[in-house]
Amino acid sequence: MKDVDDESFKGTFSFLQEKVLKKIDTANFGPGGDDDEAYRADFFEGKTAMLFNGVWDAGGSVDCGAGAQNIRPAVFPTDKEGEKAALLSGGCGLVVSSQLDEAQTEAAVEFIKYLTSPEIAERIIAKGIGMAPGTDINYDGLLTTVETPEGKLLVEACQLCQSADIQALGLGNTFGDLEGEIQAKYAGLKDGSKTVDDVITELNDFLKSGE
């Protein structure tokens, strides 16, 4: 990415500033953004109704104050009627370096084929590691074979996310090093010391510095 000066970014930052950041409890907000653990604790103690999350903490509701039976994974509504969106765990993207020689490239591709095979992908979920790097998963079968409550919650969450109409990767997977720079702007947007145009300019300067 070489430039964030477009209407989609500006609209996103404007929405984030006015509808999100300015309405966040200051006690749980730090220089880089929210205190995730504080919001997580509030949720699992039954103090809030929703925790914005991927699948990585699906099993965290077991033995929590709100009761696991009251907590279920969810997808998000979109502006298209009947369509849902989900945030997938980071780590779903696998790439092969262009700097490898032919033998190394072939080995890397074979490893990716192995890692994304249904057998290994299902094992990743069954062991509670997280979202599997593959889509050909027998989730219904896993629900009958996974024995732990944490494992079943993870399977349910992965199945729900994979069935969403729109599936988005986390910020870090989408923008790489730019993620930290974006988060560093939250405090300024929240207290009004930075405008959206300020943020766009600073992010573009960061991108240019890496060229």
Side-chain angles (χ1 to χ4, degrees):
M1 176 175 291
K2 298 186 180 297
D3 197 321
V4 295
D5 190 6
D6 65 42
E7 293 307 313
S8 62
F9 268 93
K10 289 182 178 179
T12 299
F13 283 122
S14 294
F15 178 88
L16 187 65
Q17 182 179 41
E18 298 299 326
K19 304 297 184 181
V20 181
L21 294 173
K22 289 186 177 181
K23 297 184 179 182
I24 288 176
D25 181 357
T26 304
N28 290 336
F29 190 86
D34 288 350
D35 180 350
D36 294 336
E37 283 303 309
Y39 289 113
R40 181 182 181 278
D42 284 348
F43 178 75
F44 286 125
E45 290 172 9
K47 297 178 181 178
T48 58
M50 186 180 79
L51 177 67
F52 186 78
N53 194 18
V55 305
W56 48 85
D57 201 20
S61 60
V62 175
D63 298 326
C64 71
Q69 72 278 6
N70 297 320
I71 296 177
R72 287 292 179 268
V75 289
F76 301 91
T78 70
D79 59 354
K80 295 183 179 180
E81 186 175 354
E83 291 194 3
K84 304 296 183 182
L87 176 67
L88 301 183
S89 292
C92 293
L94 301 171
V95 298
V96 176
S97 171
S98 62
Q99 305 302 312
L100 303 179
D101 60 32
E102 185 176 347
Q104 290 172 325
T105 299
E106 183 178 350
V109 170
E110 288 303 313
F111 177 72
I112 289 178
K113 289 180 180 179
Y114 166 78
L115 193 62
T116 57
S117 66
E119 176 189 0
I120 300 304
E122 289 181 10
R123 191 182 302 175
I124 288 173
I125 297 178
K127 295 296 184 181
I129 297 173
M131 176 71 75
T135 56
D136 188 18
I137 310 296
N138 181 7
Y139 288 107
D140 292 332
L142 279 174
L143 282 173
T144 64
T145 58
V146 172
E147 297 181 354
T148 66
E150 295 90 344
K152 289 185 181 297
L153 286 170
L154 177 61
V155 173
E156 289 176 355
C158 290
Q159 184 177 29
L160 186 67
C161 285
Q162 290 284 14
S163 66
D165 302 286
I166 299 173
Q167 300 171 15
L169 290 177
L171 196 61
N173 293 84
T174 305
F175 298 115
D177 292 342
L178 190 61
E179 175 189 19
E181 291 299 312
I182 291 174
Q183 292 176 338
K185 311 304 178 188
Y186 290 167
L189 286 170
K190 178 175 173 57
D191 65 20
S193 61
K194 291 184 185 298
T195 66
V196 170
D197 287 336
D198 291 334
V199 169
I200 293 295
T201 298
E202 291 173 9
L203 292 178
N204 279 337
D205 288 344
F206 170 77
L207 289 171
K208 291 176 182 176
S209 69
E211 292 179 353

